[in-house]
Amino acid sequence: MKLNENYSNLKESYLFSNIAKKVNEFSTSNPDKKIIRLGIGDVTLPLCKAVVNAIKSAADEMGVQSTFRGYGPEQGYDFLKNAIKNYYAEKQVELDIDEIFISDGAKSDLGNILDLFDKENTVLVPDPVYPVYVDTNIMDGRKIIYINANEENDFLPEPDKNIKADIIYICSPNNPTGAVYSKDGLKKWVDYAVSSNAIILFDAAYEAFITNEELPHSIYQIDGAENCAIEFCSFSKTAGFTGTRCGYTIVPKSLGKLNKMWLRRQTTKFNGVPYIVQRGAEAVFSPEGRKEIQTNLNYYRENAGIIADTLTRCGIKFFGGKYSPYIWLKCPDNMSSWDFFDYLLSNIQVVGTPGEGFGKNGEGFFRLTSFGSRENTIEAMKRFETLIGIQ
Ligand SMILES: *Cc1c(COP(=O)(O)O)cnc(C)c1O
C-alpha cells in the first residue's frame, strides 16, 4: 500500500484555527467584553417559508406508499433542472436540460470535476483565492500558477498571453475580495481560454448578490463561453442552503466529451441529492420563494451598505460589498492583516478575517462579511468608527 503523497504537499490551514485560538484567549482573559464576529463566511438567516413548506410536503410524500421515491436520477430531477433552465433563460442563456447537473453543493463539484482532467495540466488561480481551488489540485499533484489580484487591477486580474495554463479558476463575485467582473472583463478570459484551448471553471456561488444587470451572473452571458467554460453554482449563499446542501454545475455539450464524462462520473460515484432537498431548491424559483430570498439577500446587502458607509467615512479604502457579502478593506497605516486583526480584537472586540490567509496578495487586507445580524453589524461599525475615525 502506498499513500497519495500529494497530501503531504498541502499546507496546514492555520487561518480559521488561528482566529478561533486568538478569540478564545481574548475572551478567557476578558470575560466581560462582548465579541462581535464579522468574519463568518456562512449565512445566518433561516430558510425561507416557501422552501420550508416545499421540504415539508416532500417529506410527507416520502411517507406515503404511492408517492414514495427511492433512488433518483444521479444528475437531479427534471423539475429542478427545468427551474434552473428557466432561470438561465431569463438571462438570455439557453441551456439544454442535459447540461445541468444537480449536486450537494459547489464545493464538492469543484473538487470532483478534476476527475475529468489529466494530472499534467497546469492550473491558473488568482491570488487571493478560495482555498478549495488550490488544495483540490495539490491533492491530485497538479502544477499551480498564481496570477496576482491586487489594488492595481482592482482585484480583477486580466489574462496574460505569456502565461500558458490549461485549467483556469474564476470566481465572480469573488470570495474573498467581493470584486465582480464586467462582461468585457470576462470576455477577455473567454477569448484567452478559447485561443489557448484551456477550460475555465467559473464559480458563480455569489451571483444572486448582483443587482446591476450590466454585470454577468453567468459566464454563459459571454459569447464563446459555451466552448470553454464549466459553471458552478449553489443554493448555499443564494437561499441559505449551507446546511441543507444543494448546488448545480453546468457542463455545456459544446465542450464535447466533457458533458458525457461528467454524467458518467456522477452516475458512478454519486447518488444524487435527496428528493426532499431538491423540492426545497425548486421552491427557491417559485414566485414566493424569489420574493422571500430577495428579502434575505436585501438584509445582507443592507448590512454590507452599513459597513461600506462606515469605511468611507473613516477614509479606508475597500473593495466589494456592493454586489457581494464580502467587504475587502485595506488595513490602515500599512498594518499587516494579522496586526489589524489583533488591533480590532483587543480594542473593539470585532473579529474579521486576515487577508493573508487567502494568499500572499491578501497581506495588508482584511475581510468583513455582511452575514452577521443587523444589530451586531451596527454595533461593530459604531465601535470601528470610534476607534479608527479618531486617528
Ligand atoms: C460558499 C462558497 C461556495 C458554495 O459552496 P457549497 O459547497 O455549495 O456550500 C462555492 N464557492 C465559493 C467561493 C464559496 O465561498
Side-chain angles (χ1 to χ4, degrees):
M1 186 282 276
K2 285 186 188 147
L3 294 173
N4 178 352
E5 285 302 334
N6 293 317
Y7 276 67
S8 56
N9 297 325
L10 292 165
K11 284 203 201 81
E12 209 56 58
S13 172
Y14 293 114
L15 179 61
F16 292 100
S17 56
N18 237 351
I19 291 173
K21 193 169 140 239
K22 280 173 179 281
V23 171
N24 277 341
E25 280 169 9
F26 181 87
S27 59
T28 307
S29 38
N30 303 273
D32 52 322
K33 298 252 166 83
K34 187 197 166 198
I35 293 170
I36 300 180
R37 292 165 202 268
L38 292 187
I40 27 172
D42 194 357
V43 296
T44 53
L45 293 174
L47 294 174
C48 70
K49 284 233 156 48
V51 168
V52 172
N53 289 338
I55 289 174
K56 280 184 180 166
S57 53
D60 286 340
E61 283 178 51
M62 292 296 273
V64 174
Q65 179 82 68
S66 60
T67 49
F68 166 77
R69 306 211 185 198
Y71 287 122
E74 292 90 342
Q75 65 275 31
Y77 284 104
D78 280 1
F79 61 79
L80 179 54
K81 295 203 285 179
N82 273 315
I84 293 166
K85 180 182 152 80
N86 293 338
Y87 179 66
Y88 274 76
E90 289 168 22
K91 303 183 190 330
Q92 278 69 54
V93 175
E94 295 304 325
L95 296 177
D96 191 294
I97 195 158
D98 298 333
E99 298 176 314
I100 302 166
F101 297 83
I102 309 302
S103 75
D104 65 344
K107 183 168 153 181
S108 330
D109 281 3
L110 281 158
N112 294 336
I113 200 81
L114 295 174
D115 274 11
L116 312 191
F117 301 104
D118 193 273
K119 306 284 179 273
E120 295 307 311
N121 288 304
T122 298
V123 176
L124 187 66
V125 293
D127 171 319
V129 68
Y130 178 57
V132 170
Y133 310 154
V134 174
D135 288 352
T136 51
N137 279 292
I138 291 178
M139 288 173 180
D140 282 356
R142 272 186 210 87
K143 181 181 170 202
I144 301 172
I145 311 175
Y146 293 90
I147 182 165
N148 295 321
N150 52 33
E151 240 183 311
E152 286 73 59
N153 55 31
D154 287 333
F155 290 94
L156 294 168
E158 292 190 1
D160 176 347
K161 299 246 164 355
N162 300 317
I163 295 177
K164 173 76 191 98
D166 307 298
I167 299 172
I168 300 159
Y169 285 86
I170 300 176
C171 178
S172 175
N174 191 269
N175 178 11
T177 69
V180 190
Y181 276 102
S182 66
K183 288 183 179 167
D184 288 345
L186 269 192
K187 176 75 177 143
K188 289 178 189 164
W189 280 107
V190 166
D191 290 346
Y192 166 81
V194 168
S195 71
S196 58
N197 200 24
I199 188 107
I200 294 173
L201 304 182
F202 187 75
D203 187 341
Y206 296 95
E207 65 82 20
F209 283 83
I210 295 173
T211 49
N212 173 355
E213 294 313 309
E214 294 298 305
L215 297 170
H217 286 260
S218 162
I219 196 163
Y220 305 119
Q221 290 175 292
I222 312 301
D223 278 346
E226 67 281 6
N227 299 316
C228 67
I230 294 175
E231 180 160 299
F232 303 84
C233 200
S234 168
F235 297 96
S236 284
K237 316 299 162 36
T238 302
F241 272 58
T242 50
T244 308
R245 309 307 310 146
C246 196
Y248 54 90
T249 291
I250 315 288
V251 187
K253 288 182 179 164
S254 43
L255 292 176
K257 280 186 185 164
L258 282 170
N259 176 278
K260 280 255 144 56
M261 285 170 73
W262 182 240
L263 178 66
R264 186 63 190 257
R265 193 266 168 217
Q266 291 298 79
T267 52
T268 304
K269 295 197 186 180
F270 180 59
N271 244 333
V273 177
Y275 171 70
I276 298 168
V277 171
Q278 292 192 58
R279 281 294 184 197
E282 179 193 27
V284 170
F285 298 103
S286 68
E288 314 78 62
R290 283 180 166 224
K291 234 192 280 158
E292 291 164 0
I293 64 160
Q294 281 309 321
T295 305
N296 288 359
L297 289 168
N298 280 335
Y299 182 92
Y300 297 136
R301 288 186 187 116
E302 285 163 27
N303 281 351
I306 290 164
I307 298 172
D309 290 347
T310 307
L311 296 178
T312 304
R313 282 196 301 274
C314 293
I316 289 182
K317 187 164 186 187
F318 66 94
F319 298 81
K322 200 159 187 192
Y323 306 117
S324 147
Y326 300 118
I327 290 97
W328 182 249
L329 65 94
K330 189 171 186 186
C331 303
D333 303 328
N334 290 319
M335 253 187 255
S336 80
S337 59
W338 279 106
D339 284 350
F340 192 59
F341 176 92
D342 292 333
Y343 179 69
L344 292 186
L345 177 62
S346 60
N347 287 291
I348 58 170
Q349 295 80 55
V350 170
V351 177
T353 313
E356 186 265 346
F358 299 101
K360 76 169 167 61
N361 289 307
E363 181 54 289
F365 286 84
F366 200 74
R367 192 189 75 173
L368 294 176
T369 85
S370 64
F371 287 134
S373 72
R374 177 64 44 81
E375 190 192 356
N376 280 347
T377 305
I378 291 173
E379 173 64 22
M381 287 301 104
K382 264 195 199 136
R383 295 183 193 173
F384 191 96
E385 194 160 358
T386 311
L387 178 73
I388 310 280
I390 53 162
Q391 284 196 324

